[in-house]
Amino acid sequence: MHKNIAILGSTGSIGTQALEVVDAHPDRFSVEVLTANNSVDLLIEQAKKYQPNIVVIGNEAHYSLLSESLKNESIKVYAGEEAMSQVAATSTVDMVLTSMVGFSGLLPTIRALEAGIPVALANKETLVVAGDLIMNLARQKRVPVIPVDSEHSAIFQCLQGEPGNEVEKIMLTASGGPFRGKNVEFLRKVTRCQALNHPNWKMGHKITIDSASLMNKGLEAIEARWLFNLKPEQIEVVVHPQSIIHSMVQFEDGSIKAQMGLPDMRLPIQYALGFPQRLPNSFPRFNFMDFPSLTFEQADVSVFRNLSMAYEAMRQGGNVPCVLNAANEVAVEAFLKGKCGFVEMSCIIEQTIGKCGFIASPTFSDYVETDREAREVAQSLIKA
C-alpha cells in the first residue's frame, strides 16, 4: 500500500533519516508535507528534491526566503505554529511522522488524531506531557499511534502476535550515555562537548543531552506507561552499554521477548511507516561475532537523579510530568548555552516541580498553562 507521509520536523535527525527510508522505498512512500522550525536552507533543499504538496517553516522570519526560493515550484508555502498544527490534518496525508522537539509536537499530534490520521510518534514529550489525553483521543478515533523511539518500537514489535497475553513488565534498555560509571563530582565538571559525545547513537542536541543525564530514559518510561497501558512498577530500566537489545517484554509466564539489532534509527522509522509490513532494506546487519558479550547493569539514580525524578512525576501524575518536561527543556537549553552546569539541570527541574501548582486531571488548556508557568519558573532559577 502506497502512503503519503507528512514529516513534521523534517530537518532534524529523525526527519532526515525518515527521508532516507523514503528514498529506499519510492514505490511505497511519497512526501506530502515537510515542516521545520528554523533550518530553512535544508527545508528548501528537501522541498525541491521531494516535491511535497505543502511546506511549513515554524519561524515566520524565514517565510520570505522560503517562499521566494520555492516560487517556481508547485508547492504551497506556510509559516507559523498554527500552520504547523493545521497541516498535520491534511486530508491527502496517510500518516503523520511527528519528529518535532519538545512540547511543540503536542498540538500537531492532536490535530492529526482528530482528523483520523495514523501517527508515527517520534516526539516522546507529547505523551510525557499529555499521555492520557493523546491515548484517549486515539482510542476514541480508532487511530493507531505507532512508536518510533527505538525502545518503544522494540516493545511494540515484541507485543505483535500476543493478543490477550498479559504483560508482567517491560525492560527499557539504556546505553548509560557517555558518563556511565561516573560520580557526581565528575559530572559537575562536564562540558557541553563531552555531553554531546554519545557512544552509540547520532542524535539531535536536546535528546543527546537527555541521554547523558538519563532524563531521556525517564521520559521514555512515562511514554511507555501511556503507550502500553502500564503501571510505573511494570517499567524497569536496564543499562545495556552495547545498545543491541533495544528493549524487552516479560509476560506473565516469565517468558521474555527481546528485539535486537544495530543502533540504527532508520529501522524503527521504517517499521513504523511500513507497519504492519516489514519492508526489505540494505541497512547494515547485526553479527553476533562482532558483539561476543552483551552486558547489563542497574542505573545509578543516586548520581543520575533525573531518572528517579521522572519516575516520581509518573507516580504523581496529573500535570507533574508536564512540569518535569518543561523544566527539563529550559535546563537543557541553558546547559547548551553555558548558562548552567550539568548537575545544576537536575536542581532546576526539582525546584520547578516544587514551585508549580498541582492539577490532578488537566485539560489541554491546563497543559498549555502548566507548560508556560513551568518555563517561567525554571528560567527564573537560571543564573544570568
Side-chain angles (χ1 to χ4, degrees), residues 305 309 323 327 344-356 377-378 381:
R305 294 173 52 226
M309 279 195 287
V323 176
E344 285 177 83
M345 290 192 293
S346 298
C347 300
I348 291 166
I349 296 163
E350 184 177 43
Q351 291 179 55
T352 302
I353 292 173
K355 289 175 180 285
C356 288
V377 171
L381 296 169

Side-chain angles (χ1 to χ4, degrees), residues 13-147:
S13 174
I14 296 294
T16 54
Q17 290 179 87
L19 289 171
E20 290 183 42
V21 172
V22 171
D23 288 339
H25 298 282
D27 58 324
R28 302 299 301 265
F29 306 120
S30 297
V31 177
E32 186 71 4
V33 176
L34 292 173
T35 80
N37 190 39
N38 277 304
S39 302
V40 65
D41 291 336
L42 181 53
L43 182 61
I44 291 167
E45 181 184 321
Q46 291 175 343
K48 288 181 176 180
K49 176 178 178 180
Y50 294 97
Q51 291 293 307
N53 183 30
I54 299 170
V55 297
V56 181
I57 187 75
N59 186 338
E60 296 182 30
H62 297 310
Y63 175 75
S64 295
L65 174 58
L66 181 63
S67 181
E68 179 66 23
S69 300
L70 299 178
K71 66 180 181 181
N72 295 325
E73 312 289 343
S74 299
I75 300 172
K76 300 180 186 73
V77 180
Y78 302 102
E81 288 184 18
E82 182 58 31
M84 198 86 75
S85 299
Q86 288 178 353
V87 297
T90 302
S91 61
T92 51
V93 168
D94 297 311
M95 174 169 271
V96 173
L97 171 63
T98 58
S99 55
M100 304 158 74
V101 176
F103 185 84
S104 62
L106 176 57
L107 189 54
T109 303
I110 290 173
R111 293 287 178 261
L113 293 174
E114 286 176 338
I117 301 172
V119 171
L121 188 68
N123 172 263
K124 66 175 62 66
E125 291 88 350
T126 290
L127 290 185
V128 170
V129 169
D132 52 348
L133 188 155
I134 293 295
M135 297 312 292
N136 282 333
L137 180 59
R139 282 188 287 271
Q140 288 168 16
K141 296 291 183 177
R142 299 181 182 275
V143 180
V145 175
I146 302 173

Side-chain angles (χ1 to χ4, degrees), residues 110-286:
I110 290 173
R111 293 287 178 261
L113 293 174
E114 286 176 338
I117 301 172
V119 171
L121 188 68
N123 172 263
K124 66 175 62 66
E125 291 88 350
T126 290
L127 290 185
V128 170
V129 169
D132 52 348
L133 188 155
I134 293 295
M135 297 312 292
N136 282 333
L137 180 59
R139 282 188 287 271
Q140 288 168 16
K141 296 291 183 177
R142 299 181 182 275
V143 180
V145 175
I146 302 173
V148 171
D149 266 356
S150 61
E151 294 82 1
H152 301 91
S153 176
I155 300 299
F156 186 76
Q157 292 180 55
C158 288
L159 291 174
Q160 299 310 305
E162 300 284 354
N165 289 328
E166 289 293 321
V167 172
E168 191 167 289
K169 69 175 179 179
I170 66 170
M171 287 157 274
L172 296 174
T173 56
S175 70
F179 308 131
R180 179 175 62 89
K182 304 298 184 184
N183 58 28
V184 174
E185 288 310 307
F186 179 91
L187 296 183
R188 291 189 197 283
K189 302 169 187 175
V190 157
T191 66
R192 178 182 188 273
C193 184
Q194 288 174 307
L196 287 172
N197 186 27
H198 195 281
N200 298 340
W201 297 93
K202 181 175 173 54
M203 306 175 290
H205 282 12
K206 196 266 182 183
I207 190 173
T208 303
I209 299 303
D210 281 347
S211 294
S213 72
L214 289 198
M215 177 58 89
N216 189 51
K217 209 51 50 178
L219 298 179
E220 286 178 2
I222 299 172
E223 182 183 10
R225 179 255 182 277
W226 294 111
L227 273 172
F228 307 115
N229 193 27
L230 300 169
K231 299 172 182 175
E233 56 268 26
Q234 289 178 285
I235 305 168
E236 181 181 341
V237 170
V238 178
V239 175
H240 168 50
Q242 295 81 24
S243 295
I244 295 300
I245 295 177
H246 298 303
S247 278
M248 296 167 272
V249 176
Q250 181 171 300
F251 295 92
E252 62 180 349
D253 64 353
S255 178
I256 296 174
K257 287 173 71 173
Q259 189 267 333
M260 304 171 67
L262 293 172
D264 184 342
M265 278 305 301
R266 292 174 299 175
L267 195 57
I269 292 169
Q270 179 180 286
Y271 184 80
L273 296 185
F275 184 80
Q277 288 183 285
R278 289 188 181 272
L279 304 179
N281 61 50
S282 58
F283 304 158
R285 265 39 180 177
F286 170 71

